Amino acid sequence: MTVDLNADMGEGFGPWPMGSDAELLDVISSANIACGFHAGDPDVMAATMARAVKAGVGIGAHPGFPDLQGFGRRRMSLKPDEVRHLVAYQLGAAQAMARLAGGNVRHLKLHGALANMAAEDVSLAKAAYEGALAVDPDIIVMVITATQQQAAVERLGCRWAGEIFADRAYNDDCTLVDRSKPGAVIHDPEVAAKRVVAMVKAGGIIAESGKVIPAAVDTICLHGDGATAVKIAKAVRQALLDEGIELAQFQGR
């Protein structure tokens, strides 16, 4: 059994740092790097890309809504062409900064409200991914597994990888429990590690209700902006290794 570990990073802005990027790069195999709309800026992107290249970690573009103040977690209503352009623009920026750092962008993962909306709306997800594929037809699209994001990539026939979350609770339809609800975010490293191992072994998502939904589990997201983020990341990695599960970058389906 093989699985990838990914984390969102490069989410600081100017002199304001965010997350534990340097420590996480020693744990993960893929990095989703903010492209300047919901977080990040050219200098933060350049530094993060350079660290990822040095660590041998796969680079991904992490586009979101143009919402710095809300960290891309506030929903916006955009037309399909606006979504295509939004994603294409940010992917282009990520490609430029990756090349500057001596690397390349191999995957794309939507951020925050844009990702949640795409998980619910196949037309929105399709528009977002069309924007990315127009820029790079070979890019691997990381999707929230078993949601409308997956339905969109299957319709488009592109390469994709299914993602589950180590520190987020699930609804029975495979969407994430709203962050405003109790228990939506898991802070205990031991609890997160046990959940991840159980889901990888089950080959699917285990919802809060206990329901097991068969799904593609190619990569596991380890959020880097919480107080226990690094502890959770290390606990998950060690728990997987202890179970004989190999860690490696996903190759796409």
Side-chain angles (χ1 to χ4, degrees):
M1 299 178 71
T2 303
V3 72
D4 171 82
L5 297 179
N6 79 81
D8 305 340
M9 56 183 55
E11 294 178 323
F13 188 82
W16 295 280
M18 178 175 238
S20 306
D21 293 0
E23 290 178 272
L24 283 171
L25 283 167
D26 291 331
V27 178
I28 62 174
S29 41
S30 294
N32 319 305
I33 298 173
C35 303
F37 273 34
H38 76 276
D41 61 36
D43 295 328
V44 171
M45 288 177 73
T48 309
M49 296 280 192
R51 292 191 192 105
V53 170
K54 186 176 180 180
V57 169
I59 294 173
H62 194 38
F65 283 137
D67 177 26
L68 284 174
Q69 187 176 8
F71 195 59
R73 288 180 176 159
R74 297 184 292 195
R75 294 190 173 217
M76 298 178 68
S77 178
L78 301 180
K79 297 175 182 177
D81 275 347
E82 291 177 314
V83 174
R84 290 186 189 95
H85 300 159
L86 179 90
V87 172
Y89 185 97
Q90 293 179 75
L91 174 54
Q95 288 178 324
M97 300 312 291
R99 288 171 187 165
L100 184 66
N104 67 284
V105 175
R106 68 187 304 269
H107 74 274
L108 176 132
K109 171 186 169 180
L110 302 180
H111 167 81
L114 177 58
N116 291 335
M117 291 171 68
E120 302 161 4
D121 183 343
V122 69
S123 296
L124 175 65
K126 189 169 175 284
Y129 300 147
E130 284 172 343
L133 293 166
V135 175
D136 181 2
D138 296 321
I139 199 164
I140 304 170
V141 179
M142 189 187 294
V143 302
I144 301 177
T145 192
T147 67
Q148 293 304 307
Q149 290 189 11
Q150 182 174 330
V153 291
E154 289 175 344
R155 289 187 189 182
L156 291 167
C158 62
R159 297 169 69 198
W160 62 277
E163 176 190 47
I164 63 170
F165 293 82
D167 60 354
R168 294 296 306 278
Y170 281 92
N171 298 307
D172 283 358
D173 63 355
C174 294
T175 57
L176 300 175
V177 175
D178 189 281
R179 282 178 176 268
S180 64
K181 295 182 179 179
V185 181
I186 297 161
H187 300 287
D188 187 317
E190 186 176 345
V191 171
K194 287 181 178 179
R195 284 180 73 255
V196 167
V197 168
M199 287 194 283
V200 172
K201 285 187 169 183
I205 289 168
I206 301 176
E208 280 299 275
S209 66
K211 180 180 179 181
V212 178
I213 307 105
V217 181
D218 301 311
T219 183
I220 299 159
C221 178
L222 305 166
H223 284 108
D225 57 345
T228 59
V230 175
K231 290 181 179 179
I232 288 176
K234 290 180 176 179
V236 167
R237 178 185 175 89
Q238 192 57 54
L240 291 167
L241 292 174
D242 288 346
E243 291 294 325
I245 299 168
E246 182 182 350
L247 306 179
Q249 291 176 18
F250 52 80
Q251 297 304 310
R253 292 176 177 262

